[in-house]
Amino acid sequence: MGVCSVQRYSRLSLPCFCIQDMRVNSFILGLYREDFVLFARTCFENFGDRVKHWATVNEPNMLAHSTYRLGDCPPSRCSPPFGNCSAGNSDVEPFVAVHSILLSHAKAVRLYREEFRPKQGGVVGLVLHSYWYEPYNDTESHREAVNRALLFDVAWILDPLVYGDYPDKMRQYMGSSLPNFTAEETALVKGSLDFIGINHYTTFYAIDCFQSPCSALANRPSLGFVDKTGFKEGIPIGERTGLPIFFIAPRGMEKIVEYLSTRYPNMPIYVTENGYATNSAKELDVNEILNDSKRIEFHKSYLAALSKAMR
């Protein structure tokens, strides 16, 4: 299966607060690509003798969601009902931004493979944020909603880097709003991935918006007509953590790794982030803080789930 739970690696991606200082809208205008390759070259030249596992971009799916859908992060572009920004299109621009990010990644990988790998012997991958989803009800429509949620979260990023294009179902729903790769770009991005890194924290229920009521934020082509929730009939999908939107559901770790291993056979998978958010220290007694038993239980359960996926 090629699964590893811990691995030393370095990320090339620029932090969110730095993007504001770059050329305006460089992601959606494609100006970011050559800047990123220059940045990658600088890193490879200066640290490549020590770093053997490189991750070009951390969570491009969440980056696009925060910057071009919700507008929470510079350059803060969005449109209703997602937010009230001065400019932007929340249904289109996240996909244009990711398109540029994927091409930037692929160019950095090509650079490394051609100029640095022969001497340094490293590998280059990418890290994505990866929820797991379970059907809200055991019906075909909600099971299909799970598949669409994973396509629009995970395969959106990884399919081009492995197979050379976005998932067919995404094109079916989004039409011309989803960017196209030229023949040259397809050749560049296809196979430009040595490993998959995943940041996995929690699991949600997926709701099919074709058959069930959904929020205005979810009932739209750009999200695959899928809504997500951590509750069913008032009962959480798992024990809640100190971060209200995160629930303890270790089975999700096993399932997301199995999904990736099936969709992308023989691709090494590194779990790059996973962890437990505690409540505020003011809400905990001293013994609970010192013993940290909840965090210990969390990691034991998630590592056990990961172990099952590795067998």
Side-chain angles (χ1 to χ4, degrees), residues 45-83:
E45 288 176 344
N46 288 276
F47 307 111
D49 59 328
R50 286 152 286 166
V51 176
K52 302 306 176 186
H53 291 77
W54 294 94
T56 54
V57 184
N58 182 53
E59 299 185 348
N61 45 355
M62 293 302 289
L63 174 63
H65 183 69
S66 297
T67 56
Y68 290 100
R69 179 171 286 139
L70 300 182
D72 292 337
C73 193
S76 302
R77 294 176 63 86
C78 67
S79 59
F82 293 95

Side-chain angles (χ1 to χ4, degrees), residues 152-227:
F152 277 74
D153 265 9
V154 175
W156 169 33
I157 307 299
L158 296 180
D159 269 27
L161 304 183
V162 176
Y163 301 119
D165 202 359
Y166 300 109
D168 289 341
K169 190 157 292 260
M170 289 188 70
R171 291 210 176 277
Q172 175 186 335
Y173 286 124
M174 295 195 60
S176 60
S177 296
L178 190 64
N180 289 296
F181 293 105
T182 66
E184 181 181 359
E185 289 171 341
T186 296
L188 175 68
V189 298
K190 185 177 181 180
S192 63
L193 196 65
D194 295 325
F195 68 85
I196 296 169
I198 61 169
N199 298 340
H200 174 75
Y201 290 95
T202 196
T203 295
F204 294 108
Y205 291 116
I207 300 173
D208 174 41
C209 295
F210 293 122
Q211 301 294 329
S212 301
C214 287
S215 68
L217 295 177
N219 192 16
R220 52 205 320 111
S222 60
L223 290 176
F225 297 101
V226 178
D227 208 346

Side-chain angles (χ1 to χ4, degrees), residues 95 109 122 130 218 233 256 282 304:
F95 300 94
V109 172
S130 51
E233 298 177 354
I256 188 62
K282 295 180 181 179

Side-chain angles (χ1 to χ4, degrees), residues 50 86 91 93 115 125 168 177-178 243 259 276 296 303:
R50 286 152 286 166
S86 60
D91 288 313
E93 290 187 0
E115 298 188 29
D168 289 341
S177 296
L178 190 64
L243 194 60
Y259 173 84
Y276 175 76
I296 293 170
L303 287 171

